[in-house]
Amino acid sequence: MSYPGVYAERGLFLCFEGGEGGGKSTQAKLLAQRLTELGREVLLTHEPGATEVGQKVRQIVLSPETGHLDDRTEALLYAADKAEHLDKMVRPALERGEVVITDRYVDSSLAYQGAGRALEPAELERVLRWATGDLRPHLTVLLDLDPAAGLTRFAERDRIEGEPLEFHLRVRQGFLDLAAADAEHYLVLDASGTIEEVAAAIGARVEALL
Ligand code: TMP
């Protein structure tokens, strides 16, 4: 089954994806500043945990105290965070014609819960497309980094960061496969470049979309 995807007619929906420690939040912030300076209204947001309910979900899925979760439970919790995030924040901002920049979205679930865990990819994708009404970013910036390098940046690890290196290697490949399957909607960058280099490449691509 193929999922055609829905693209917002108003506003611009941008997403940052990638493994741990690739500088997504830094780059998302820099892009938000750049677009604000260009006079655009920008909503800078993230998953999981941007809404009130989402914060509770984030606590459950990331706290090491939660311990083991069934793969389906974990996937459904992330999917619920997405549904809430879209309803309360993302769609309203797009309808107002704003630029929405989200740090993580559906691809994170396809990579972490799909490629990382043992869920059947097509089934998981169906759940996620349903949860989000299949709304897709106009552009996803994938900050690609060797997980062995990315994970060294954390002294304390949450439930997901604490997974073994093999898990994070599958996640990385999952992201790269998603980008390769739909090159038009992705910008894949080597996250080991300097902050300035990476920001310049993102800025150039996004400004072309405005
Ligand atoms: P963050 O540290 O970038 O805020 O992301 C939280 C963690 O949750 C990160 O390890 C990736 C993971 N995650 C998923 O496993 N599935 C998802 O759908 C999302 C959004 C994040």
Side-chain angles (χ1 to χ4, degrees):
M1 190 189 221
S2 74
Y3 302 89
V6 174
Y7 296 90
E9 283 174 14
R10 284 174 57 74
L12 186 65
F13 187 21
L14 306 172
C15 174
F16 281 82
E17 291 284 11
E20 320 290 335
K24 280 185 292 59
S25 349
T26 305
Q27 291 298 338
K29 250 181 245 160
L30 288 173
L31 179 64
Q33 274 168 14
R34 186 163 177 162
L35 295 178
T36 305
E37 281 161 18
L38 289 174
R40 308 295 296 229
E41 284 295 324
V42 178
L43 172 69
L44 175 59
T45 184
H46 64 278
E47 292 187 0
T51 62
E52 228 170 280
V53 166
Q55 279 169 24
K56 295 180 184 166
V57 172
R58 184 180 176 95
Q59 168 68 20
I60 299 171
V61 286
L62 293 184
S63 168
E65 276 172 30
T66 299
H68 176 75
L69 283 176
D70 178 74
D71 289 352
R72 288 171 193 239
T73 310
E74 183 180 279
L76 288 167
L77 285 165
Y78 277 112
D81 172 75
K82 291 178 203 307
E84 197 60 15
H85 187 211
L86 281 188
D87 180 61
K88 296 276 184 337
M89 301 179 70
V90 175
R91 285 188 200 284
L94 291 172
E95 279 159 19
R96 292 192 298 269
E98 296 178 11
V99 179
V100 175
I101 303 175
T102 183
D103 181 348
R104 298 195 181 281
Y105 184 52
V106 166
D107 284 10
S108 277
S109 256
L110 292 172
Y112 284 86
Q113 281 68 55
R117 307 283 188 215
L119 294 171
E120 212 279 298
E123 280 181 12
L124 174 65
E125 184 166 6
R126 196 158 70 224
V127 170
L128 291 164
R129 299 297 177 209
W130 177 78
T132 58
D134 208 1
L135 184 72
R136 309 266 178 116
H138 295 104
L139 180 72
T140 294
V141 178
L142 173 56
L143 296 180
D144 178 54
L145 187 66
D146 177 357
L151 287 165
T152 59
R153 301 191 188 176
F154 299 96
E156 277 182 32
R157 295 188 179 184
D158 63 32
R159 253 186 85 255
I160 304 275
E161 286 154 6
E163 288 294 331
L165 184 61
E166 297 69 48
F167 172 89
H168 291 282
L169 290 168
R170 288 197 299 277
V171 170
R172 180 193 197 183
Q173 193 56 51
F175 279 124
L176 289 170
D177 290 347
L178 289 165
D182 184 17
E184 183 196 343
H185 293 107
Y186 284 82
L187 173 64
V188 182
L189 294 173
D190 178 353
S192 64
T194 68
I195 291 181
E196 293 75 20
E197 280 164 1
V198 174
I202 296 168
R205 176 70 184 264
V206 170
E207 279 172 34
L209 285 177
L210 291 177

